[in-house]
């Protein structure tokens, strides 16, 4: 059924400028004032392939570069250590802006792997990720050298905030 004339005539549409255009064009933004998101190098260490896959998709969707290790021992090898007893650092550490380390893994747990690289002198960011929300579990991971510990599922906003607070030149892109 058609609208009554009073309703139709009361709608004038969007405000118009003198030249009749329906919007005013804005000047282009000044490139010097724009903050560009920084792409990070992230190592995801988790024994569950589906968790690594989902985490990779989330992080690459934010523009980050992701490498993976399937357990704590593979993490140590990737970092240049023979095993968890090596106390001397490798000739150079791989460059990761942050390591996301699972808690419970076969062969070598996240806290044990974290403690091993810390003993060998690794100073980079390691964020623990655990399915255990008990304070004692979170505290244990931190005591082994994790900078921050998150409960699963990983909250991207909390991750971005932790990165922003620890990497002074990091400015995240928009979370979608």
């Amino acid at each position: 059924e058609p609208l009554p004339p009073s309703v139709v005539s009361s709608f004038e549409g969007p405000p118009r400028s003198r030249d009749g255009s329906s919007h005013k064009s804005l000047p282009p933004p000044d490139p010097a004032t724009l903050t560009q998101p920084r792409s990070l190098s992230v190592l995801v260490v988790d024994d569950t392939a589906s968790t690594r896959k989902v985490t990779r998709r989330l992080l690459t969707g934010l523009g980050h570069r992701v490498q993976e290790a399937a357990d704590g021992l593979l993490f140590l090898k990737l970092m240049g250590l023979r095993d968890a007893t090596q106390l001397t650092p490798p000739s150079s550490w791989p460059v990761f802006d942050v390591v996301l380390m699972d808690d419970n893994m076969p062969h070598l747990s996240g806290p044990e792997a974290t403690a091993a690289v810390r003993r060998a002198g690794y100073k980079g960011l390691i964020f623990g990720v655990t399915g255990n929300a008990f304070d004692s579990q979170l505290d244990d991971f931190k005591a082994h050298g994790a900078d921050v510990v998150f409960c699963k599922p990983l909250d991207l906003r909390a991750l971005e905030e932790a990165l922003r607070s620890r990497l002074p030149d990091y400015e995240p892109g928009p979370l979608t």
Side-chain angles (χ1 to χ4, degrees):
E1 179 174 301
L3 294 172
S6 62
V7 173
V8 174
S9 63
S10 67
F11 177 72
E12 297 177 18
R16 298 194 178 271
S17 62
R18 287 185 189 199
D19 67 359
S21 65
S22 62
H23 69 283
K24 189 176 183 181
S25 62
L26 298 174
D30 178 5
T33 63
L34 293 177
T35 304
Q36 294 297 317
R38 178 176 159 212
S39 176
L40 300 179
S41 175
V42 182
L43 175 60
V44 176
V45 184
D46 197 298
D47 61 311
T48 307
S50 59
T51 300
R52 289 193 313 272
K53 183 178 180 179
V54 168
T55 304
R56 172 185 282 280
R57 283 189 179 172
L58 290 170
L59 295 172
T60 56
L62 294 172
H64 302 311
R65 301 170 316 280
V66 177
Q67 287 188 297
E68 301 174 9
D71 64 45
L73 285 178
L74 293 172
F75 163 71
L76 292 183
K77 300 232 182 280
L78 183 65
M79 297 299 284
L81 300 179
R82 283 186 315 279
D83 56 37
T85 63
Q86 182 176 336
L87 297 178
T88 56
S91 58
S92 66
W93 292 106
V95 178
F96 295 109
D97 293 298
V98 65
V99 174
L100 296 180
M101 178 74 68
D102 185 32
D103 183 9
N104 293 317
M105 295 182 287
H107 311 299
L108 191 66
S109 73
E112 292 168 332
T114 299
V117 294
R118 294 295 194 214
R119 281 191 305 269
Y122 184 70
K123 304 283 188 228
L125 289 177
I126 299 177
F127 291 176
V129 184
T130 181
N132 300 311
F134 297 110
D135 286 339
S136 61
Q137 202 73 21
L138 304 176
D139 292 342
D140 182 61
F141 214 147
K142 287 180 186 174
H144 280 82
D147 296 286
V148 176
V149 181
F150 297 103
C151 291
K152 290 181 182 179
L154 186 59
D155 179 337
L156 287 181
R157 291 188 193 283
L159 175 62
E160 293 284 83
E161 182 57 38
L163 289 167
R164 189 181 299 113
S165 71
R166 286 162 178 79
L167 297 172
D169 61 339
Y170 176 65
E171 184 60 40
L175 292 175
T176 55

